Each structure stands twice: as C-alpha cells, then as structure tokens.
Amino acid sequence: AQSVAQPEDQVNVAEGNPLTVKCTYSVSGNPYLFWYVQYPNRGLQFLLKYITGDNLVKGSYGFEAEFNKSQTSFHLKKPSALVSDSALYFCAVREYNTDKLIFGTGTRLQVFP
Amino acid sequence: NAGVTQTPKFQVLKTGQSMTLQCAQDMNHEYMSWYRQDPGMGLRLIHYSVGAGITDQGEVPNGYNVSRSTTEDFPLRLLSAAPSQTSVYFCASSYSTAVNEKLFFGSGTQLSVL
C-alpha cells in the first residue's frame, strides 16, 4: 500500500534563510507526488505536483520540490523564507492504479522575523 | 466562484446522536472525497466517490456513510456519533480521477462529540 512520511513535526527557520520540509514515500509503482499547504482555520491549498519529467518541480509562492527516486524522497524547498510562509505543510502520494490520495502527518513551518 | 462549500462550520453532538455533514461543489467535478484531520495523524481518507452513484471506502470508513446522488453533493453521515469522531472534517473535489489532478478543499467542519 502507498504511504508517505514526514519525519519532522516542526521546522523553524529565520526569515530570508532557505527552508526544506522533508517527505519520503513508499509505492509499488510510479509515484505521483503532491504538496499542499494549510493556513490557520482554512482548508488545504495545492502547491505543486510531480508526475513525470524534471526532478525539480516549481510551484506556487516561490516553492519548489526535488524528486529523488533512489532516496524515495520529495522534499519541499524555498530559497528565501518569508514570515507569511508559516503554515502546515502536507506531502501526499498517489499510485497510478488507485483513486486514493494519501497524506502525510504534516509539518508545521515556523518562520521567525 | 463558490468552489467547495461545507456546512456547518462547527457542530457539537452528544454521544449516540446522528448528523449529516454537507458538501457541495459548483465546479462540475467528477471526484469527491471526505477526510478527517487529527493532531499527529494528518489527513485520513474516510470515503470517496468517482462519480454520481459510485462511492468507495477510504482508510477510516467505520462509523460513516456516504451517498452521491448528484454530481454536486456528497454528504457524510454519522450514524451514531462517538467521542472518537471528534475531529475536523474536510471535503475535497477534483475535476477528474486522473492521477495528476489536484484537489480543491472546503474550509472544514469542526465536530465535537461529548
């Protein structure tokens, strides 16, 4: 069965510094990977996705993610963090032959001024 | 555009009561789903539907029923509420069931079962 792990409950970073939010996945076939963000008291919003092609995927709000097949990882990155990036971030995975999108447990990103 | 609309936003139930969480989307989306969000557990899929008249179970379906009589609506029914069902519930939809489709989420229903 497909699964995704987010090993860090919280990531703290100073404004202007680069940030990384980690995600690893497990699927039996080709993975389809997504990142979503949740701001306080809101539903989740789509950030970016990896289907095939370039291992570096660019998304909304200056975020990007790097797909690494050998390490089964899909880490979310941003070169320069903003205080407004503080939110809860979810990684999700889907297998080709299923209709289910499975989410990780989430990582809270805190960006300090 | 309304997008995905969930009602109510907040609800308090007593153990054993039943209720229905409403979800409606106005984007003509084929796929709809229900998730629950709990601290430390992330989002877990309860039920989903790939089209009108078709529903299937997710990761945690016990205690919940769904139906999809129209493309627009996907209500979630709690038959006999239990304290373990205290959670935040999100409805989500996508245009199709293709693997690369992104989900659109409602703003959530916060449910407390006493």
Side-chain angles (χ1 to χ4, degrees):
Chain A
Q2 69 220 58
S3 65
V4 61
Q6 295 181 244
E8 303 155 317
D9 290 335
Q10 181 155 330
V11 170
N12 298 317
V13 64
E15 187 174 33
N17 283 1
L19 68 88
T20 298
V21 182
K22 296 179 180 178
C23 172
T24 59
Y25 65 88
S26 174
V27 298
S28 57
N30 291 325
Y32 298 88
L33 296 155
F34 302 78
W35 277 100
Y36 286 80
V37 60
Q38 184 181 31
Y39 298 103
N41 301 314
R42 301 284 297 276
L44 278 69
Q45 299 175 31
F46 171 79
L47 268 183
L48 51 81
K49 64 183 177 183
Y50 171 82
I51 306 301
T52 61
D54 288 341
N55 290 340
L56 187 63
V57 179
K58 294 190 183 297
S60 306
Y61 312 122
F63 283 92
E64 57 190 26
E66 186 172 10
F67 173 69
N68 187 316
K69 188 172 184 178
S70 62
Q71 297 186 1
T72 63
S73 66
F74 189 56
H75 300 332
L76 182 70
K77 301 182 179 184
K78 188 174 182 181
S80 179
L82 299 172
V83 173
S84 57
D85 292 330
S86 299
L88 190 56
Y89 290 81
F90 289 95
C91 183
V93 66
R94 181 174 174 180
E95 284 186 293
Y96 179 76
N97 61 346
T98 77
D99 294 318
K100 302 177 185 178
L101 184 65
I102 302 301
F103 285 83
T105 53
T107 297
R108 186 165 301 281
L109 174 66
Q110 191 72 45
V111 181
F112 295 95
Chain B
N1 290 336
V4 180
T5 303
Q6 288 184 239
T7 56
K9 292 190 181 302
F10 302 95
Q11 183 70 50
V12 178
L13 292 178
K14 295 181 179 179
T15 298
Q17 286 185 315
S18 62
M19 79 158 296
T20 299
L21 307 185
Q22 301 292 345
C23 175
Q25 51 87 11
D26 63 355
M27 298 174 282
N28 200 31
H29 281 180
E30 186 175 65
Y31 179 90
M32 297 185 74
S33 55
W34 278 101
Y35 287 86
R36 58 177 290 173
Q37 183 178 22
D38 303 290
M41 305 290 288
L43 273 77
R44 292 181 291 170
L45 182 64
I46 304 171
H47 286 287
Y48 64 98
S49 169
V50 299
I54 306 169
T55 64
D56 207 344
Q57 296 181 349
E59 302 169 87
V60 288
N62 292 340
Y64 307 95
N65 276 357
V66 291
S67 60
R68 184 95 180 270
S69 56
T70 66
T71 300
E72 295 78 18
D73 300 300
F74 191 46
L76 178 72
R77 297 183 185 84
L78 282 70
L79 304 176
S80 178
S84 61
Q85 294 178 305
T86 293
S87 186
V88 181
Y89 292 84
F90 288 100
C91 180
S93 70
S94 64
Y95 177 69
S96 76
T97 59
V99 292
N100 60 342
E101 286 289 349
K102 65 181 181 183
L103 288 175
F104 292 81
F105 281 81
S107 57
T109 295
Q110 189 168 323
L111 176 67
S112 295
V113 182
L114 306 177

